[in-house]
Amino acid sequence: MIAKRLLPLRRSLGKPESRNSWLRPFHHVSGEFVTRDPGSLRLVAEVIPMIVGEPEEAYVMVPTAIGQAMQAACGDDKLTRKYPTMDRIPLIFHHKTSHFALPNLLYPRLIVPQDLRGPEDGNATSPATLWLFGTTHSIALDETADAEFVQESYESHLQLERVSENLKDR
């Protein structure tokens, strides 16, 4: 296990500190990315490296090639209207089979080796978001502390990108 120490994100806002604000455990595991071969329509499964958190956490980090493949598969106009910049893509996590898929599509799908913290209402699925930034792409179940963490990381990424561009001009 590799642990990264992070500064608290919202300490100054009076929110109680959670474990996620100080420490983010990373577990390197293998998952599967399943697609349909366009020529034969056969299913093709590729073993891929990924990073998952502790069992009570709700995030996965995948190689950028996987995020880009999911992005390419969602040429759906509804998705484009919801996220016009395509820096994030809505997904559905299926708890019974531990896989992510695009809404209304069977493939591609990303199978993770563990179930993520599921909804307390007993639903078999949870909405999730694939974030397309950084050296890895992140997926987090919506409305969780992990989703908030990725959102704040994304906002920091945008701010640092602008600062970096300003420094290049000097």
Side-chain angles (χ1 to χ4, degrees):
M1 174 175 84
I2 299 172
K4 303 271 183 168
R5 188 178 182 297
L6 301 171
L7 297 175
L9 296 173
R10 295 203 176 243
R11 188 175 195 183
S12 62
L13 299 178
K15 284 189 173 183
E17 293 179 24
S18 69
R19 197 183 101 225
N20 285 340
S21 67
W22 288 99
L23 180 70
R24 196 135 188 100
F26 291 160
H27 301 283
H28 294 265
V29 298
S30 294
E32 284 188 39
F33 187 61
V34 182
T35 58
R36 282 201 184 271
D37 178 48
S40 66
L41 296 179
R42 294 178 57 170
L43 295 179
V44 177
E46 176 186 358
V47 175
I48 61 160
M50 63 177 57
I51 297 171
V52 298
E54 295 292 306
E56 70 275 6
E57 294 178 319
Y59 75 93
V60 175
M61 296 166 66
V62 297
T64 56
I66 300 304
Q68 292 163 352
M70 295 292 272
Q71 181 183 32
C74 71
D76 186 327
D77 288 336
K78 291 178 189 170
L79 294 178
T80 306
R81 271 183 263 134
K82 184 171 182 181
Y83 299 112
T85 61
M86 293 305 284
D87 54 359
R88 65 195 93 164
I89 297 171
L91 299 176
I92 302 293
F93 184 72
H94 300 263
H95 291 278
K96 291 182 181 176
T97 53
S98 296
H99 80 271
F100 290 98
L102 293 161
N104 303 319
L105 290 177
L106 293 176
Y107 298 96
R109 69 172 55 173
L110 178 65
I111 302 170
V112 298
Q114 69 186 39
D115 189 17
L116 301 179
R117 181 185 65 218
E120 294 178 13
D121 60 9
N123 282 337
T125 61
S126 293
T129 301
L130 166 62
W131 294 84
L132 302 168
F133 73 95
T135 58
T136 60
H137 290 168
S138 299
I139 304 171
L141 298 187
D142 294 349
E143 299 181 17
T144 64
D146 295 301
E148 183 178 338
F149 182 89
V150 177
Q151 171 74 38
E152 291 175 350
S153 297
Y154 176 69
E155 290 167 5
S156 294
H157 169 78
L158 292 178
Q159 289 174 352
L160 290 172
E161 233 178 19
R162 284 191 293 270
V163 169
S164 175
E165 287 301 315
N166 288 340
L167 290 173
K168 285 180 187 176
D169 294 339
R170 290 183 180 202

